[in-house]
Amino acid sequence: MDGFGATRTARRLRAELRQRGLARVPRGPRPSTAANAPGLTARQLEVLALLADGLSDAEIGARLSLSARTVGHHVSALLVKLAVPNRGQAAAVARRQGLVPPA
């Protein structure tokens, strides 16, 4: 529901599920995540900015104190959320959408 923009309905549904005793109800996206169209987390935005600068997973990991494998997971999530097949297109979309500074 959040993905379709029905945030009020999603909030009410989550509250109702909690009232009915469900222990693990996702809280929904953070305001910072909901603030950008593709729904990127703060960490994904950091990774995207460095990816757009042409850094490898290992280089991004070194800058953000993450393993290259963790960066790879973030990059995979970025590609899905931006609906692109590769890093170059992710950088281009990010620049068009104003998610990263222009080159």
Side-chain angles (χ1 to χ4, degrees), residues 2-3 29-46 48 78 81-82 94 97-100:
D2 289 310
R30 294 175 186 259
S32 60
T33 301
N36 59 72
L40 302 178
T41 66
R43 178 61 85 187
Q44 289 169 341
L45 286 169
E46 290 176 318
L48 182 58
L78 288 168
K81 287 183 176 183
L82 295 174
Q97 292 185 8
L99 299 170
V100 298

Side-chain angles (χ1 to χ4, degrees), residues 1-23:
M1 293 184 152
D2 289 310
F4 293 114
T7 54
R8 281 186 182 161
T9 303
R11 268 194 306 262
R12 282 194 305 257
L13 179 59
R14 283 191 288 271
E16 186 174 325
L17 290 171
R18 285 186 195 101
Q19 281 181 341
R20 291 180 183 213
L22 268 73

Side-chain angles (χ1 to χ4, degrees), residues 63-77:
R63 293 247 184 122
L64 299 178
S65 299
L66 300 170
S67 71
R69 184 174 182 176
T70 298
V71 173
H73 289 293
H74 285 300
V75 170
S76 293

